[in-house]
C-alpha cells in the first residue's frame, strides 16, 4: 500500500479544490456536477460546511505537513453561498493545514446570483481572485445558453468586484455559440476587454454527453465560421496584451492562474465536496518511486451530506494510475500549455526515458504538431488546434 507522501521528498505543489454543487438552474451545456435549486432557495450551509471539514479531515493524513499553494472553489455556483460560510471555512482550514503566504484563492461567481455588497464580504473572508461566468454579453446567446444574467449584469458584477478591492479577475467567455457570427464573437471580446480583466478564459462550446444540448443539439456555426472566430479572436486578444499561455487561457503579465497551472504541470490537489476529484502523488514499494492516485467523492449532494455519518466516508472511488497510463495522463495536461514541458520533466513524471519517444515525435514534428526543439515537448500553434492527434502520438511513443 502507498505510504504517506510526507515520507517522500520531491513532491509537487499541493492545491485544494472545493466543490459547491448547487446552482439556480442547470445550464443545457453543463456537464459538471451541478443541481438546480431555483431562486431564493435556502441552502444547507451549516451542514455542508461540516461535511466539507469532515471530508478534509479524512484526507489530511495523506498530505500531512504539505502547504497549500492555491484554493479553487467551483461548482455549481459557489456565489450562492454567503461570505460568512467562506469565512468560517477558511478559519477552520487554517487550523488544519499550512497555507502559502501568497496563496491564491479563487471563487467562481455567476453575475446573476449576486446581491449588492456580497463581493466585499468575499474579499474580507480571504478570497483574492474571482472568476465570473459571463459566457456572453449578447442577450440572444445568453438565452440560448440558459444563463440567468444579462450582459449589463456582468458589467455591474465587475464594477462591484473592483469596488470591493478585487484586483485579480477572470472572465469566462464562450465562442462557437448558437447563431454566433465572427462579428458577434468579437463584440463579446471587445466588451470583455473594455472591463480590463487580468485573466480571460475563452473557449469553444462543445456538446458534452449527459447534457441537454447533447440530447437536443442546437444549430452551431459551421466549421469555417468556427475557424474564423478562433483566428480573429486570438489575434484580437494578443493585440490587447492578453498573453495566451494555455489552449483557452489568456492573462496579463504575472496574472496566470496559479491553480490551473498546477493542474497542467501535473501538481497534486485535494478535492473535497460533492463529486470533487483529487490527484495525489504517493510513494509505494521499496523503490520509493512516486505513484499517482486519483480519488473522487460521492456525487449527489444529499448522499454526500449523509456520508458524514457513514463509516465508509466520502470517497466514492479511487484508482492508481498505471505505468502504461502515465504518458497520456501527463501529456493531456502539460501539452495544453503554450510553453510545453521540458523533456527531462516528461521523463521524470512518466518514468519513460526520452529515447522511447524516437520516431513518433519526429513524425509529430514532420506534421507540424510540435515545435522543433529537442529539449522540450511543446505543441506548435497547429498542435494546439489538433491536440488529440498530438496526444495520441506522444502517449503511444511513451509505451514503445
Amino acid at each position: 500500500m502507498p505510504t504517506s507522501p510526507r515520507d517522500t521528498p520531491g513532491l509537487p505543489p499541493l492545491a485544494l479544490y472545493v466543490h459547491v454543487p448547487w446552482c439556480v438552474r442547470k445550464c443545457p451545456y453543463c456537464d459538471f456536477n451541478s443541481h438546480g435549486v431555483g431562486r431564493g432557495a435556502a441552502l444547507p450551509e451549516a451542514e455542508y460546511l461540516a461535511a466539507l471539514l469532515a471530508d478534509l479531515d479524512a484526507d489530511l493524513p495523506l498530505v500531512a505537513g504539505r502547504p497549500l499553494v492555491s484554493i479553487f472553489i467551483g461548482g455549481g455556483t459557489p456565489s450562492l453561498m454567503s461570505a460568512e460560510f467562506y469565512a468560517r471555512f477558511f478559519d477552520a482550514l487554517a487550523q488544519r493545514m499550512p497555507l502559502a503566504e501568497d496563496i491564491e484563492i479563487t471563487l467562481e461567481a455567476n453575475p446573476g446570483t449576486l446581491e449588492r455588497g456580497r463581493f466585499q464580504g468575499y474579499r474580507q473572508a480571504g478570497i483574492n481572485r474571482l472568476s465570473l461566468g459571463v459566457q456572453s454579453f449578447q442577450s440572444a446567446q445568453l438565452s440560448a445558453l440558459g444563463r440567468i444574467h444579462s450582459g449589463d449584469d456582468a458589467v455591474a458584477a465587475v464594477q462591484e468586484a473592483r469596488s470591493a478591492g478585487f484586483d485579480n479577475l477572470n472572465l469566462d467567455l464562450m465562442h462557437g455559440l448558437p447563431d454566433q457570427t465572427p462579428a458577434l464573437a468579437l463584440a463579446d471580446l471587445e466588451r470583455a476587454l473594455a472591463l480590463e480583466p487580468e485573466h480571460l478564459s475563452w473557449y469553444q462550446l462543445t456538446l458534452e454527453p449527459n447534457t441537454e444540448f447533447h440530447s437536443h443539439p442546437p444549430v452551431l456555426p459551421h466549421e469555417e465560421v468556427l475557424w474564423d472566430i478562433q483566428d480573429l479572436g486570438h489575434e484580437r486578444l494578443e493585440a490587447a496584451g492578453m498573453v495566451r499561455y494555455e489552449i483557452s487561457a489568456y492573462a496579463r503579465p504575472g496574472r496566470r492562474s496559479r491553480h490551473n497551472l498546477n493542474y497542467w504541470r501535473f501538481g497534486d490537489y485535494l478535492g473535497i465536496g460533492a463529486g470533487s476529484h483529487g490527484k495525489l502523488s504517493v510513494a509505494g514499494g521499496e523503490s520509493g518511486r512516486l505513484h499517482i492516485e486519483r480519488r473522487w467523492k460521492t456525487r449527489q449532494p444529499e448522499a454526500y451530506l449523509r456520508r458524514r455519518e457513514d463509516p465508509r466516508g466520502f470517497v466514492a472511488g479511487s484508482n492508481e494510475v498505471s505505468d502504461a497510463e502515465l504518458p497520456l495522463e501527463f501529456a493531456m495536461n502539460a501539452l495544453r500549455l503554450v510553453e510545453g514541458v521540458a523533456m527531462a520533466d516528461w521523463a521524470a513524471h512518466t518514468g519513460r526515458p526520452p529515447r522511447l519517444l524516437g520516431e513518433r515525435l519526429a513524425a509529430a514534428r514532420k506534421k507540424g504538431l510540435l515545435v522543433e526543439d529537442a529539449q522540450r515537448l511543446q505543441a506548435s500553434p497547429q498542435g494546439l488546434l489538433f491536440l488529440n492527434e498530438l496526444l495520441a502520438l506522444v502517449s503511444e511513443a511513451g509505451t514503445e
Side-chain angles (χ1 to χ4, degrees):
M1 292 294 292
T3 60
S4 167
R6 66 176 177 271
D7 300 324
T8 307
L11 289 165
L14 178 68
L16 174 67
Y17 175 75
V18 183
H19 192 76
V20 177
W22 296 285
C23 56
V24 173
R25 183 172 67 194
K26 180 84 170 180
C27 294
Y29 60 85
C30 178
D31 67 336
F32 297 142
N33 183 35
S34 57
H35 304 263
V37 295
R39 286 187 181 273
L43 297 179
E45 287 199 356
E47 294 87 347
Y48 199 64
L49 177 61
L52 285 176
L53 294 176
D55 189 356
L56 178 64
D57 286 340
D59 283 352
L60 284 180
L62 301 171
V63 295
R66 296 176 64 183
L68 290 177
V69 299
S70 66
I71 301 169
F72 193 99
I73 305 163
T77 303
S79 53
L80 288 176
M81 298 302 225
S82 69
E84 291 76 14
F85 172 87
Y86 292 112
R88 291 195 296 270
F89 174 74
F90 295 136
D91 285 345
L93 177 64
Q95 295 172 16
R96 288 165 164 80
M97 298 187 72
L99 309 180
E101 288 187 8
D102 62 345
I103 189 168
E104 175 191 270
I105 304 177
T106 303
L107 177 79
E108 285 188 333
N110 184 335
T113 62
L114 296 168
E115 300 170 3
R116 187 166 183 81
R118 182 168 279 202
F119 276 149
Q120 186 173 3
Y122 291 150
R123 187 70 190 89
Q124 291 172 347
I127 294 162
N128 54 27
R129 184 174 183 270
L130 284 177
S131 181
L132 292 173
V134 175
Q135 315 311 355
S136 176
F137 292 92
Q138 311 289 331
S139 297
Q141 271 70 48
L142 288 169
S143 177
L145 293 174
R147 305 297 288 175
I148 63 172
H149 69 273
S150 67
D152 289 342
D153 288 336
V155 173
V158 171
Q159 294 170 342
E160 179 85 7
R162 295 301 194 194
S163 296
F166 282 98
D167 63 357
N168 197 359
L169 294 180
N170 170 63
L171 301 184
D172 266 0
L173 276 183
M174 300 175 78
H175 61 86
L177 307 180
D179 299 319
Q180 191 177 54
T181 63
L184 287 173
L186 286 175
D188 272 346
L189 285 179
E190 293 295 346
R191 199 163 183 193
L193 290 170
L195 297 171
E196 300 183 333
E198 285 70 32
H199 191 283
L200 191 65
S201 297
W202 190 61
Y203 51 95
Q204 184 177 323
L205 171 65
T206 55
L207 306 184
E208 301 292 346
N210 303 314
T211 65
E212 183 181 334
F213 271 5
H214 191 266
S215 302
H216 304 92
V219 178
L220 300 181
H222 293 300
E223 187 171 332
E224 296 81 2
V225 175
L226 294 175
W227 287 119
D228 287 343
I229 289 173
Q230 289 192 52
D231 290 343
L232 292 169
H234 294 323
E235 181 179 323
R236 179 66 189 97
L237 287 167
E238 291 181 357
M242 302 293 288
V243 179
R244 187 187 191 193
Y245 69 98
E246 188 266 346
I247 285 180
S248 58
Y250 299 76
R252 305 284 182 193
R255 294 298 195 170
R256 299 189 298 178
S257 167
R258 278 185 273 160
H259 187 86
N260 286 341
L261 279 173
N262 190 54
Y263 287 154
W264 298 322
R265 290 171 173 166
F266 221 44
D268 283 352
Y269 52 97
L270 289 174
I272 61 173
S276 63
H277 285 241
K279 167 197 170 283
L280 292 176
S281 301
V282 295
E286 296 181 359
S287 69
R289 185 169 69 84
L290 293 178
H291 297 268
I292 304 300
E293 181 181 84
R294 295 196 179 275
R295 296 151 57 88
W296 53 96
K297 305 298 175 62
T298 298
R299 183 177 176 87
Q300 293 296 324
E302 296 79 6
Y304 178 83
L305 290 172
R306 291 195 298 270
R307 282 294 187 105
R308 187 181 170 208
E309 309 299 332
D310 193 320
R312 295 173 297 174
F314 296 91
V315 177
S318 65
N319 73 280
E320 184 175 313
V321 178
S322 70
D323 289 347
E325 294 169 324
L326 269 174
L328 179 58
E329 284 266 343
F330 181 64
M332 283 175 62
N333 290 278
L335 287 179
R336 292 181 63 91
L337 289 170
V338 172
E339 66 188 23
V341 61
M343 193 71 76
D345 288 342
W346 187 89
H349 281 288
T350 66
R352 301 290 197 275
R355 61 180 173 76
L356 288 182
L357 296 174
E359 295 180 0
R360 298 270 184 153
L361 292 194
R365 292 191 174 101
K366 186 174 181 180
K367 290 184 175 183
L369 301 178
L370 279 177
V371 171
E372 293 284 349
D373 185 342
Q375 302 304 313
R376 298 191 68 78
L377 284 174
Q378 182 179 2
S380 66
Q382 184 81 351
L384 291 173
L385 289 173
F386 297 96
L387 187 62
N388 287 340
E389 182 180 355
L390 176 58
L391 289 175
L393 285 167
V394 172
S395 59
E396 290 171 10
T399 60
E400 290 180 350

Coordinates of all heavy atoms in Angstrom, one line a residue, residues 291-332:
H291 N 3.9 7.3 -7.1 CA 2.8 6.8 -7.9 C 1.7 7.9 -7.8 O 1.6 8.7 -6.9 CB 2.3 5.5 -7.4 CG 3.3 4.4 -7.5 ND1 3.4 3.6 -8.6 CD2 4.3 4.0 -6.7 CE1 4.4 2.7 -8.4 NE2 4.9 3.0 -7.3
I292 N 0.8 7.8 -8.8 CA -0.3 8.8 -8.9 C -1.6 8.1 -8.5 O -2.0 7.0 -9.1 CB -0.4 9.4 -10.3 CG1 0.9 10.0 -10.7 CG2 -1.6 10.4 -10.3 CD1 1.3 11.1 -9.8
E293 N -2.3 8.6 -7.5 CA -3.6 8.1 -7.1 C -4.7 9.2 -7.4 O -4.5 10.3 -7.0 CB -3.6 7.7 -5.7 CG -5.0 7.1 -5.2 CD -5.0 6.7 -3.7 OE1 -5.2 7.6 -2.9 OE2 -4.7 5.6 -3.5
R294 N -5.7 8.8 -8.0 CA -6.9 9.7 -8.2 C -8.0 9.2 -7.4 O -8.3 8.0 -7.3 CB -7.3 9.7 -9.7 CG -6.2 10.3 -10.6 CD -6.7 10.7 -12.0 NE -5.7 11.3 -12.8 CZ -5.3 12.6 -12.7 NH1 -5.9 13.4 -11.9 NH2 -4.4 13.1 -13.5
R295 N -8.7 10.2 -6.7 CA -9.8 9.8 -5.8 C -11.0 10.8 -6.2 O -10.8 11.9 -6.6 CB -9.4 10.1 -4.4 CG -8.3 9.2 -3.9 CD -7.5 9.8 -2.8 NE -8.3 10.3 -1.6 CZ -8.5 9.5 -0.6 NH1 -8.1 8.3 -0.5 NH2 -9.2 10.0 0.4
W296 N -12.2 10.2 -6.0 CA -13.4 11.1 -6.3 C -14.4 10.8 -5.2 O -14.5 9.7 -4.6 CB -14.0 10.8 -7.6 CG -14.3 9.4 -8.0 CD1 -15.5 8.7 -7.9 CD2 -13.3 8.4 -8.5 NE1 -15.3 7.4 -8.3 CE2 -14.0 7.2 -8.7 CE3 -12.0 8.5 -8.9 CZ2 -13.4 6.1 -9.2 CZ3 -11.4 7.4 -9.4 CH2 -12.1 6.2 -9.5
K297 N -15.2 11.8 -4.9 CA -16.1 11.8 -3.8 C -17.6 11.6 -4.2 O -17.9 11.8 -5.4 CB -16.0 13.2 -3.0 CG -14.6 13.5 -2.6 CD -14.0 12.5 -1.6 CE -12.6 12.7 -1.2 NZ -12.3 14.0 -0.5
T298 N -18.4 11.2 -3.3 CA -19.8 11.0 -3.5 C -20.4 12.2 -4.2 O -20.3 13.3 -3.8 CB -20.5 10.7 -2.2 OG1 -20.0 9.6 -1.6 CG2 -22.0 10.5 -2.4
R299 N -21.2 11.9 -5.3 CA -21.6 12.9 -6.2 C -22.9 13.7 -5.8 O -23.0 14.9 -5.9 CB -21.8 12.3 -7.6 CG -22.2 13.2 -8.7 CD -22.3 12.5 -10.0 NE -22.7 13.4 -11.1 CZ -21.9 14.1 -11.8 NH1 -20.6 14.1 -11.6 NH2 -22.4 14.9 -12.8
Q300 N -23.9 12.9 -5.4 CA -25.2 13.6 -5.1 C -25.1 14.4 -3.8 O -24.7 13.8 -2.8 CB -26.3 12.6 -5.1 CG -26.7 11.9 -6.4 CD -27.2 12.9 -7.4 OE1 -27.9 13.8 -7.1 NE2 -26.9 12.7 -8.7
P301 N -25.6 15.6 -3.8 CA -25.4 16.4 -2.6 C -26.1 15.8 -1.4 O -25.4 15.8 -0.3 CB -26.1 17.8 -3.0 CG -26.0 17.8 -4.5 CD -26.1 16.4 -4.9
E302 N -27.3 15.3 -1.5 CA -27.9 14.7 -0.3 C -27.1 13.5 0.2 O -27.0 13.3 1.4 CB -29.4 14.3 -0.7 CG -30.3 15.4 -1.0 CD -30.1 15.9 -2.5 OE1 -29.3 15.3 -3.2 OE2 -30.7 17.0 -2.8
A303 N -26.7 12.6 -0.7 CA -25.9 11.5 -0.3 C -24.6 11.9 0.3 O -24.1 11.3 1.3 CB -25.6 10.6 -1.5
Y304 N -24.0 13.0 -0.3 CA -22.7 13.5 0.3 C -22.9 13.9 1.7 O -22.1 13.6 2.6 CB -22.2 14.6 -0.6 CG -20.9 15.3 -0.1 CD1 -19.7 14.7 -0.4 CD2 -21.0 16.4 0.7 CE1 -18.5 15.3 0.1 CE2 -19.8 17.0 1.1 CZ -18.6 16.4 0.9 OH -17.4 17.0 1.3
L305 N -24.0 14.6 2.0 CA -24.2 15.1 3.4 C -24.4 14.0 4.3 O -23.9 14.0 5.5 CB -25.4 16.0 3.4 CG -25.3 17.4 2.7 CD1 -26.6 18.1 2.6 CD2 -24.2 18.3 3.5
R306 N -25.0 12.9 3.9 CA -25.2 11.7 4.7 C -23.9 11.0 5.0 O -23.8 10.3 6.0 CB -26.2 10.8 4.1 CG -27.7 11.3 4.1 CD -28.7 10.2 3.8 NE -28.4 9.6 2.5 CZ -29.0 10.0 1.3 NH1 -29.8 11.0 1.4 NH2 -28.8 9.3 0.2
R307 N -23.0 11.1 4.1 CA -21.7 10.4 4.3 C -20.9 10.8 5.5 O -20.0 10.1 6.0 CB -20.8 10.5 3.0 CG -21.2 9.7 1.8 CD -21.1 8.2 2.1 NE -21.3 7.4 1.0 CZ -20.3 6.8 0.2 NH1 -19.1 7.0 0.6 NH2 -20.7 6.1 -0.8
R308 N -21.3 11.9 6.1 CA -20.6 12.4 7.3 C -20.8 11.4 8.4 O -19.9 11.2 9.3 CB -21.1 13.8 7.7 CG -20.4 14.4 8.8 CD -21.0 15.8 9.2 NE -20.4 16.3 10.4 CZ -21.0 17.1 11.3 NH1 -22.2 17.5 11.0 NH2 -20.4 17.5 12.4
E309 N -21.9 10.7 8.4 CA -22.2 9.7 9.5 C -22.0 8.3 9.0 O -22.3 7.4 9.7 CB -23.7 9.9 9.9 CG -24.1 11.3 10.3 CD -23.3 11.9 11.4 OE1 -22.9 11.1 12.3 OE2 -23.1 13.1 11.5
D310 N -21.4 8.2 7.8 CA -21.2 6.8 7.2 C -19.8 6.4 7.4 O -18.9 7.1 7.1 CB -21.5 6.9 5.7 CG -21.7 5.5 5.1 OD1 -20.9 4.6 5.4 OD2 -22.5 5.4 4.2
P311 N -19.6 5.2 8.0 CA -18.2 4.7 8.2 C -17.4 4.6 6.9 O -16.2 4.5 7.0 CB -18.4 3.4 8.9 CG -19.8 3.0 8.6 CD -20.6 4.2 8.5
R312 N -18.1 4.5 5.8 CA -17.3 4.4 4.5 C -16.7 5.7 4.1 O -15.8 5.8 3.3 CB -18.3 4.0 3.4 CG -18.8 2.6 3.5 CD -19.9 2.3 2.5 NE -21.0 3.2 2.6 CZ -22.0 3.3 1.7 NH1 -22.0 2.5 0.6 NH2 -23.0 4.1 1.9
G313 N -17.1 6.8 4.8 CA -16.5 8.1 4.5 C -17.1 8.7 3.2 O -18.1 8.2 2.6
F314 N -16.4 9.7 2.6 CA -16.8 10.4 1.5 C -16.3 9.9 0.1 O -16.8 10.3 -0.9 CB -16.4 11.9 1.6 CG -17.0 12.6 2.8 CD1 -16.4 12.6 4.0 CD2 -18.3 13.2 2.7 CE1 -17.0 13.3 5.1 CE2 -18.9 13.9 3.8 CZ -18.2 13.9 5.0
V315 N -15.3 9.1 0.2 CA -14.7 8.6 -1.1 C -15.6 7.6 -1.8 O -16.0 6.6 -1.2 CB -13.3 8.0 -0.8 CG1 -12.7 7.4 -2.1 CG2 -12.4 9.0 -0.2
A316 N -16.0 8.0 -3.0 CA -16.8 7.1 -3.8 C -16.0 6.1 -4.6 O -16.4 5.0 -5.0 CB -17.7 7.9 -4.8
G317 N -14.7 6.5 -4.9 CA -13.8 5.6 -5.7 C -12.4 6.1 -5.8 O -12.2 7.3 -5.5
S318 N -11.5 5.3 -6.2 CA -10.1 5.7 -6.4 C -9.4 4.7 -7.3 O -9.9 3.6 -7.4 CB -9.4 5.8 -5.0 OG -9.3 4.5 -4.4
N319 N -8.4 5.2 -7.9 CA -7.5 4.2 -8.7 C -6.1 4.8 -8.8 O -5.9 6.0 -8.7 CB -8.1 4.0 -10.1 CG -7.9 5.2 -11.0 OD1 -8.7 6.2 -10.9 ND2 -6.9 5.2 -11.8
E320 N -5.2 3.9 -8.9 CA -3.8 4.3 -9.1 C -3.6 4.3 -10.6 O -3.9 3.3 -11.3 CB -2.8 3.3 -8.4 CG -1.4 3.7 -8.5 CD -0.5 2.8 -7.7 OE1 -0.8 2.5 -6.5 OE2 0.6 2.4 -8.3
V321 N -3.0 5.4 -11.1 CA -2.7 5.5 -12.5 C -1.6 4.5 -12.8 O -0.5 4.5 -12.2 CB -2.3 6.9 -12.9 CG1 -1.9 7.0 -14.3 CG2 -3.4 7.9 -12.5
S322 N -1.8 3.6 -13.8 CA -0.8 2.6 -14.1 C 0.4 3.2 -14.9 O 0.3 4.3 -15.4 CB -1.5 1.5 -15.0 OG -1.8 2.0 -16.3
D323 N 1.5 2.5 -14.9 CA 2.6 3.0 -15.7 C 2.3 3.2 -17.1 O 2.8 4.1 -17.8 CB 3.8 2.0 -15.5 CG 4.4 1.9 -14.2 OD1 4.1 2.8 -13.4 OD2 5.1 1.0 -13.9
A324 N 1.5 2.3 -17.7 CA 1.1 2.5 -19.1 C 0.2 3.7 -19.4 O 0.3 4.3 -20.5 CB 0.3 1.2 -19.6
E325 N -0.5 4.2 -18.3 CA -1.4 5.3 -18.5 C -0.7 6.7 -18.3 O -1.1 7.7 -18.7 CB -2.6 5.2 -17.5 CG -3.5 4.1 -17.8 CD -4.5 3.9 -16.6 OE1 -4.1 4.1 -15.5 OE2 -5.6 3.5 -16.9
L326 N 0.5 6.6 -17.6 CA 1.2 7.8 -17.2 C 1.5 8.8 -18.4 O 1.3 10.0 -18.3 CB 2.4 7.5 -16.4 CG 2.2 7.4 -14.9 CD1 3.5 7.0 -14.2 CD2 1.8 8.7 -14.3
P327 N 2.1 8.3 -19.5 CA 2.4 9.2 -20.6 C 1.2 10.0 -21.1 O 1.3 11.3 -21.2 CB 2.9 8.3 -21.7 CG 3.5 7.1 -21.0 CD 2.5 6.9 -19.8
L328 N 0.1 9.4 -21.2 CA -1.1 10.1 -21.7 C -1.6 11.1 -20.6 O -2.0 12.2 -20.9 CB -2.2 9.2 -22.1 CG -3.5 9.8 -22.6 CD1 -3.3 10.8 -23.8 CD2 -4.5 8.8 -23.0
E329 N -1.6 10.6 -19.3 CA -2.1 11.4 -18.2 C -1.3 12.7 -18.1 O -1.8 13.8 -18.0 CB -2.0 10.6 -16.9 CG -3.0 9.6 -16.7 CD -4.2 10.1 -15.9 OE1 -4.1 11.2 -15.3 OE2 -5.3 9.5 -15.9
F330 N 0.0 12.6 -18.2 CA 0.9 13.7 -18.1 C 0.7 14.6 -19.3 O 0.6 15.9 -19.2 CB 2.3 13.3 -17.9 CG 3.3 14.5 -17.8 CD1 3.2 15.3 -16.7 CD2 4.3 14.7 -18.7 CE1 4.1 16.4 -16.6 CE2 5.2 15.7 -18.6 CZ 5.0 16.6 -17.5
A331 N 0.8 14.0 -20.5 CA 0.7 14.8 -21.8 C -0.6 15.6 -21.9 O -0.6 16.7 -22.4 CB 0.9 13.9 -23.0
M332 N -1.7 15.0 -21.4 CA -3.0 15.7 -21.5 C -3.0 17.0 -20.8 O -3.8 17.9 -21.2 CB -4.1 14.8 -21.0 CG -4.5 13.6 -21.9 SD -5.7 12.5 -21.1 CE -7.1 13.6 -20.8

